[in-house]
Amino acid sequence: MAVAELDSTKDMHAATDIFLPEFWSDGDRILEGTGQPMEYRVLCGIPYLRSKDEDDEDPLGREWNAFDIVTGDLMEGWLKADMEEQRRRAEKKREQQHLDEKR
């Protein structure tokens, strides 16, 4: 399972709320549940969106990759990503990779 990697220097200037639509405008699914509460898998690459407008892309050019795991609230077809949880997950993943490299 991949977890969206966040660059801490970029995050300092990033919007707090990042949105993902559940479906593309043509009906193709973007998110699927993982079976864990408030946790979703991204099915394809999509830019970070600062609002519920598909043209309001993150000015830093960041994006979600296919198979990233995102935590947040899904309401009315939009997922509001919990970016603090994403930062914690990315840090935990880096720590685990560091421990694995030492072995």
Side-chain angles (χ1 to χ4, degrees):
M1 263 190 298
V3 175
E5 291 293 331
L6 301 175
D7 180 335
S8 59
T9 58
K10 288 182 182 179
D11 288 333
M12 297 291 212
H13 307 290
T16 305
D17 297 335
I18 301 295
F19 294 86
L20 291 95
E22 186 175 7
F23 296 94
W24 289 113
S25 55
D26 66 4
D28 286 347
R29 181 175 284 281
I30 297 172
L31 300 170
E32 72 176 4
T34 64
Q36 298 297 316
M38 299 176 60
E39 191 175 87
Y40 302 88
R41 179 175 291 109
V42 179
L43 299 176
C44 57
I46 182 172
Y48 282 25
L49 301 175
R50 298 181 301 170
S51 70
K52 293 180 180 181
D53 176 351
E54 290 184 24
D55 294 324
D56 191 13
E57 293 183 12
D58 176 56
L60 299 175
R62 296 175 302 164
E63 63 180 37
W64 302 104
N65 297 309
F67 307 110
D68 281 345
I69 302 297
V70 182
T71 303
D73 293 316
L74 184 62
M75 291 184 285
E76 299 176 7
W78 285 86
L79 178 72
K80 181 178 174 183
D82 182 340
M83 296 310 290
E84 287 302 316
E85 179 64 21
Q86 294 307 117
R87 286 182 188 96
R88 285 190 291 274
R89 285 172 171 265
E91 181 61 30
K92 186 175 179 180
K93 181 180 178 185
R94 281 190 290 272
E95 289 172 4
Q96 186 60 49
Q97 287 174 338
H98 182 70
L99 290 173
D100 291 344
E101 289 172 0
K102 285 186 172 183
R103 292 181 190 170

